[in-house]
Amino acid sequence: MSTIQFIVSGPMLPTWDRRTQLSRDLIRFLATNSSESPLLRALGVACFKYWPIISQILQPVHSNAQISELTIPAYPLNPAVLEATGLWAHKLTSIAQASQQMRMEAEHIASTDSKHIILYLHGGSYTSGTARQYRNMHLRLAQATGVQVLGFSYRLAPQAPYPTQLYDAYCAYQYVRDLGFSDDHIIFAGDSAGGNLALALWQLLRAPIRALVLLSPRVDVTSTRDSWKRNAQVDVLRPYTLDNSHSTIRQLLAPKGLSQQTYQLLSNPFIAPIHADLTQLPPILVQVGTAEVMLDDIVEFAAQAQMQSSSTVELQQYENMFHVFQAGLPGTRHFKEAWERIGAFIRSL
């Protein structure tokens, strides 16, 4: 609708061109929780199913990189990692025991740097997305950095409540280690909920990985800071709420019903890394748009990281840009700059 308004009365923000407006509308549609509308739900399912084809039409990536599809097996949990997980320890143990026959779909993008690898954790509010659907992001990341990328399809809520996704990410990390990569040659990267999962995986492991690269990461789920109101009409996300059974945070944490403990989870550092101990954080790049509802959450998280950690904390703010604009159409405002700066950050390590 706002794309039509662009033609009639101009862009939502004065710095936007038509491509930027269209990118925002496309991402907003894909991010919208349409489970209450059968028509929108069916349309959303179709878009996600055929997104690898659609994205190659709308977002072509000209790359000759070798793409290998593979599967990741289940791994036993190292008892040492459970010590810092608190209330998640029992659930993680149960999930690991029930997942022994699990096989996760994944894909590997080859690149010129064979010594390092980026483990990419995709977004989608923990309720949507696969490695194949995020292939363009993998390709762009490999192209921008010169580093090979491994993306994987973690299990999704509500069929797989949290912390299933954290266990799956742990298995992907162990798979990368089995490929022969040491921690100081591994980079975690992710967008939105995938950025949240990357931070949760780092908290689980406390491993000295080479770096974190986070695009519009979810770092809090209270939706209370001012940017949630200030940017509500422009950005692509809706506030998180446990009171709506269709909301993604409810589907992730309590698909079968609420309890008093569910509300307490909103401040758990694995769910909201803004409350995490960040003292051992590796070098980290965080990109965010100033038109995002998450802006104030992310700025405060970066400030916490800078105070607690001795590592490089690089926060890049992009004027008037929306949630995960790096996934928009080529030519979107700041699109090229953001990807170039991701590459520059990785090369600077």
Side-chain angles (χ1 to χ4, degrees), residues 271-289:
I271 302 300
I274 200 166
H275 301 294
D277 174 3
L278 304 174
T279 52
Q280 296 174 304
L281 198 70
I284 179 173
L285 169 65
V286 183
Q287 293 187 341
V288 63

Side-chain angles (χ1 to χ4, degrees), residues 90-101:
H90 176 70
K91 288 188 176 181
L92 282 167
T93 301
S94 298
I95 290 166
Q97 291 173 347
S99 301
Q100 295 180 22
Q101 304 304 315

Side-chain angles (χ1 to χ4, degrees), residues 196-270:
N196 179 279
L197 186 55
L199 285 166
L201 179 60
W202 172 77
Q203 290 181 73
L204 179 72
L205 300 167
R206 294 285 168 176
I209 60 171
R210 190 166 186 82
L212 280 159
V213 176
L214 308 177
L215 314 181
S216 303
R218 177 201 286 183
V219 294
D220 196 19
V221 288
T222 58
S223 307
T224 56
R225 292 177 183 82
D226 184 65
S227 57
W228 280 92
K229 296 178 180 178
R230 189 173 68 246
N231 294 331
Q233 297 304 311
V234 177
D235 198 23
V236 303
L237 295 182
R238 295 178 179 177
Y240 299 112
T241 175
L242 287 173
D243 298 328
N244 182 349
S245 62
H246 296 288
S247 72
T248 55
I249 192 67
R250 170 77 172 269
Q251 292 176 349
L252 179 68
L253 297 179
K256 295 182 179 179
L258 293 173
S259 68
Q260 188 58 41
Q261 185 189 39
T262 310
Y263 289 93
Q264 296 171 358
L265 292 177
L266 298 183
S267 59
N268 183 275
F270 285 86

Side-chain angles (χ1 to χ4, degrees), residues 111 113 116-119 140-149 184-189 210-215 283-285 287 312 314 316 338-349:
S111 196
D113 183 348
H116 301 89
I117 190 167
I118 297 172
L119 180 62
R140 291 195 190 285
L141 193 53
Q143 197 172 64
T145 63
V147 178
Q148 58 192 306
V149 177
D184 62 344
H185 288 77
I186 299 172
I187 299 162
F188 293 169
R210 190 166 186 82
L212 280 159
V213 176
L214 308 177
L215 314 181
I284 179 173
L285 169 65
Q287 293 187 341
T312 299
E314 186 169 338
Q316 298 175 358
W339 282 109
E340 287 178 345
R341 293 179 76 180
I342 291 171
F345 174 78
I346 295 299
R347 289 189 292 274
S348 73
L349 298 173

